[in-house]
């Protein structure tokens, strides 16, 4: 994922100071752009943060994964964690201690909508536990993303397929546990996760 010079400078500043304290003069100095050029694109420092967050939300589209033209759940989960890996530095900055405390909530809200659509496409009938599972899957994705991004920074992250398998297993468990499970293909239900070893981190 590519950020422009101003956004990249903001991310670097966010790694060392809270977003409320980042000033335009710091951004333009670090980005090496004229102040006039900055104001042609942004209204202020908070607008830079909002642009970064919007770019992240677009990059972290889970289902269908429009970035890679995928609509099979396991493939979407794997591609989603691959996207997290590509923009881990921005995730750590924006969702970290110095970043926007509401970003993770915004992301989770979008994931709930996308996972709900995924489950509807699985031909599951919405009922009480349906929505609990949708919330749980979204929360699981966000929690794993936070840990994964930190491990990416430390160069010790697991393969995205392992994380996709962990998430997809909850979806599979719910699908197989409910009464009157609709008949969908094994490929759509399991994807590669039917054979994927979760704990193989080689």
């Amino acid at each position: 994922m590519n950020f422009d010079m101003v956004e990249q400078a903001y991310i670097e500043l966010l790694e060392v100071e809270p977003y409320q304290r980042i000033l335009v003069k710091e951004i333009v100095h670090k980005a090496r752009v004229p102040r006039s050029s900055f104001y042609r694109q942004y209204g202020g420092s908070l607008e830079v943060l909002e642009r970064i967050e919007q770019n992240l939300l677009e990059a972290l589209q889970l289902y269908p994964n429009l970035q890679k033209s995928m609509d099979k759940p396991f493939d979407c989960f794997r591609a989603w964690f691959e996207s997290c890996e590509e923009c881990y530095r921005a995730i750590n900055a924006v969702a970290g201690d110095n970043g926007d405390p509401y970003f993770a909530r915004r992301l989770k809200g979008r994931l709930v909508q996308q996972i709900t659509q995924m489950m509807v496409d699985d031909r599951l009938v919405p009922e009480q536990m349906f929505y609990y599972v949708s919330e749980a899957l979204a929360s699981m994705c966000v929690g794993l993303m936070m840990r994964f991004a930190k491990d990416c920074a430390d160069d010790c992250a697991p393969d995205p397929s392992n994380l996709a398998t962990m998430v997809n297993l909850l979806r599979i468990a719910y699908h197989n546990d409910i009464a009157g499970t609709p008949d969908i293909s094994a490929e759509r239900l399991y994807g590669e996760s039917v054979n994927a070893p979760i704990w193989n981190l080689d």
Side-chain angles (χ1 to χ4, degrees), residues 7-118:
E7 292 164 354
Q8 188 59 50
Y10 190 98
I11 289 169
E12 292 177 16
L13 289 167
L14 198 54
E15 291 173 338
V16 295
E17 61 181 307
Y19 76 96
Q20 304 97 321
R21 297 182 185 174
I22 296 177
L23 304 175
V24 170
K25 66 179 181 179
E26 296 177 281
I27 300 170
V28 298
H29 175 74
K30 189 167 239 350
R32 297 182 180 179
V33 298
R35 197 179 184 94
S36 58
S37 297
F38 175 90
Y39 281 113
R40 278 197 291 270
Q41 296 185 64
Y42 305 97
S45 61
L46 289 179
E47 192 171 324
V48 182
L49 175 60
E50 177 60 26
R51 192 86 57 88
I52 294 169
E53 291 187 10
Q54 287 298 329
N55 289 338
L56 281 174
L57 291 172
E58 183 177 340
L60 298 178
Q61 170 88 11
L62 172 63
Y63 180 87
N65 193 311
L66 303 178
Q67 301 273 333
K68 301 183 179 180
S69 300
M70 293 178 177
D71 61 1
K72 292 186 177 64
F74 176 79
D75 292 339
C76 288
F77 286 130
R78 179 176 56 192
W80 191 80
F81 284 110
E82 288 171 351
S83 296
C84 292
E85 187 173 27
E86 291 170 6
C87 49
Y88 74 86
R89 189 172 183 184
I91 291 171
N92 281 331
V94 171
D97 293 339
N98 292 330
D100 179 0
Y102 296 103
F103 173 73
R105 187 184 302 177
R106 292 174 66 190
L107 175 59
K108 181 190 169 185
R110 290 199 175 198
L111 291 177
V112 167
Q113 293 177 349
Q114 293 163 22
I115 290 169
T116 296
Q117 184 60 54
M118 176 191 293

Side-chain angles (χ1 to χ4, degrees), residues 129-188:
M129 291 308 300
F130 176 102
Y131 295 105
Y132 276 88
V133 172
S134 179
E135 287 272 347
L137 285 167
S139 295
M140 190 175 183
C141 284
V142 172
L144 289 173
M145 175 198 74
M146 301 287 283
R147 176 60 185 265
F148 185 51
K150 290 178 181 178
D151 284 349
C152 285
D154 294 334
D155 199 25
C156 62
D159 189 285
S161 291
N162 293 327
L163 301 179
T165 297
M166 292 173 66
V167 176
N168 201 45
L169 283 175
L170 174 56
R171 171 179 160 267
I172 292 168
Y174 173 67
H175 193 283
N176 288 339
D177 188 55
I178 64 172
T181 302
D183 183 24
I184 63 173
S185 69
E187 181 183 16
R188 178 170 178 86

